[in-house]
């Protein structure tokens, strides 16, 4: 049976390749993330197909634009009966997305700071002083105040966000998860599945450690086993 805490990032070039992987994973996975990399390869069709199969879908569009455009984009996308949809966590973007979502059940998730960025990347982007962690926590707080149903952050900030009064009953979803002994790739603020869950993540997003694994089903099973160890470990990042 599946563990809904695991969201598998289907970062594959096309819908047929993505659906072939979901076939391999079968009942072991019930929650998938579709992102920008598959947009031109049938990403929305893949989302619809997965919903028809009874899976949950997280559409990772990371929308950012003027409020009017974000609202219109979200109003269109929620017709796909998505479970989660991402926008950048700037308060004006979140407010517009919540308006566009209307009465649909799609949850608006705010991206804080990409888990592939560190302080030197933020310097390059002319983002003001402060540690990455401080910026993530403050962006999360503001996005939640603006009405986001949850935030995307690295496991290294999850416990601090969980402690915010604004985070009560809201979701924390963490990419940047790497089982021990797997490649970090371009992710910089990483943790293991067990660490992420013990830090307060409701869901973890894992892509390449599964999509590039010689045996993806085995990789999923190992991640689920690791998540189940979470209650036995102490915080690593606080
Ligand atoms: O392959 P990997 O496990 O690094 O994939 C992580 C996924 O999570 C990617 O699809 C990436 O776009 C997404 N993501 C992220 N950091 C964020 C938000 C989303 O890595 N802050």
């Amino acid at each position: 049976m599946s563990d809904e805490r695991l969201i598998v990032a289907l970062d594959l070039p096309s819908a047929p390749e993505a659906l072939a992987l979901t076939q391999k994973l079968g009942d072991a996975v019930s929650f998938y993330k579709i992102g920008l990399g598959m947009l031109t390869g049938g990403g929305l069709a893949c989302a619809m197909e997965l919903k028809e199969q009874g899976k949950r879908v997280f559409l990772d569009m990371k929308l950012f634009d003027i409020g009017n455009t974000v609202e219109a984009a979200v109003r269109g996308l929620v017709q796909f009966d998505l479970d989660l949809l991402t926008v950048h966590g700037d308060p004006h973007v979140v407010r517009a997305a919540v308006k566009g979502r209307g009465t649909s059940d799609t949850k608006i998730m705010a991206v804080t700071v990409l888990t592939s960025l560190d302080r030197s990347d933020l310097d390059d982007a002319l983002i003001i002083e402060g540690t990455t962690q401080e910026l993530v926590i403050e962006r999360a707080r503001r996005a939640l105040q603006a009405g986001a149903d949850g935030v995307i952050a690295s496991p290294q900030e999850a416990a601090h966000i969980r402690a915010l009064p604004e985070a009560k009953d809201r979701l924390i979803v963490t990419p940047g998860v790497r089982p021990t002994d797997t490649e970090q790739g371009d992710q910089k603020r990483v943790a293991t599945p067990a660490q992420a869950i013990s830090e307060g993540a409701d869901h973890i997003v894992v892509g390449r450690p599964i999509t590039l694994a010689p045996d993806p089903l085995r990789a999923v099973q190992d991640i689920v086993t690791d998540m189940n160890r979470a209650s036995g470990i102490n915080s690593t990042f606080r």
Side-chain angles (χ1 to χ4, degrees):
M1 273 314 289
S2 64
D3 184 328
E4 289 227 323
R5 292 177 298 178
L6 173 63
I7 302 178
V8 176
L10 288 174
D11 291 327
L12 294 157
S14 70
E17 286 161 274
L19 291 169
L21 177 65
T22 66
Q23 288 290 317
K24 253 189 227 168
L25 299 177
D27 291 339
V29 176
S30 57
F31 212 151
Y32 286 102
K33 181 174 92 69
I34 294 174
L36 292 170
M38 218 208 292
L39 196 60
T40 53
L44 289 176
C46 182
M48 278 194 287
E49 171 66 31
L50 290 172
K51 287 302 294 187
E52 267 168 33
Q53 292 175 16
K55 303 291 185 190
R56 299 182 74 195
V57 172
F58 168 4
L59 194 68
D60 191 12
M61 289 284 111
K62 296 191 181 71
L63 298 172
F64 180 87
D65 208 318
I66 62 168
N68 192 53
T69 304
V70 170
E71 186 184 332
V74 172
R75 192 177 302 118
L77 287 167
V78 297
Q79 294 172 39
F80 291 91
D81 190 25
L82 307 165
D83 295 278
L84 307 179
L85 173 65
T86 45
V87 300
H88 278 268
D90 306 54
H92 81 275
V93 176
V94 173
R95 280 193 294 271
V98 169
K99 215 165 151 197
R101 180 262 310 275
T103 55
S104 101
D105 289 332
T106 301
K107 290 193 173 5
I108 301 298
M109 302 296 297
V111 174
T112 53
V113 176
L114 298 178
T115 46
S116 59
L117 303 185
D118 60 16
R119 184 60 249 183
S120 69
D121 298 307
L122 298 176
D123 290 340
D124 285 348
L126 302 180
I127 291 174
I128 55 149
E129 292 173 20
T131 64
T132 313
Q133 191 174 72
E134 285 163 353
L135 290 171
V136 170
I137 296 165
E138 190 52 27
R139 270 178 71 79
R141 198 175 64 77
R142 292 180 190 201
L144 293 168
Q145 282 174 344
D149 297 299
V151 296
I152 314 292
S154 96
Q156 303 191 10
E157 294 104 23
H160 297 277
I161 296 172
R162 187 45 79 215
L164 295 171
E166 290 87 351
K168 191 171 180 302
D169 301 327
R170 311 286 180 99
L171 293 175
I172 300 176
V173 175
T174 63
V177 173
R178 287 292 175 267
T180 322
D181 300 331
T182 54
E183 291 282 328
Q184 195 165 323
D186 55 359
Q187 296 286 12
K188 292 183 182 153
R189 308 196 318 275
V190 296
T192 64
Q195 283 169 332
I197 295 293
S198 79
E199 295 296 313
D202 297 289
H203 298 279
I204 62 169
V205 174
V206 187
R208 287 162 289 181
I210 295 169
T211 55
L212 301 181
D215 182 348
L217 181 57
R218 180 67 202 271
V220 163
Q221 288 159 346
D222 290 347
I223 289 167
V224 171
T225 305
D226 196 60
M227 285 195 296
N228 289 333
R229 282 192 206 117
S231 52
I233 66 170
N234 293 320
S235 174
T236 325
F237 307 114
R238 272 167 288 179

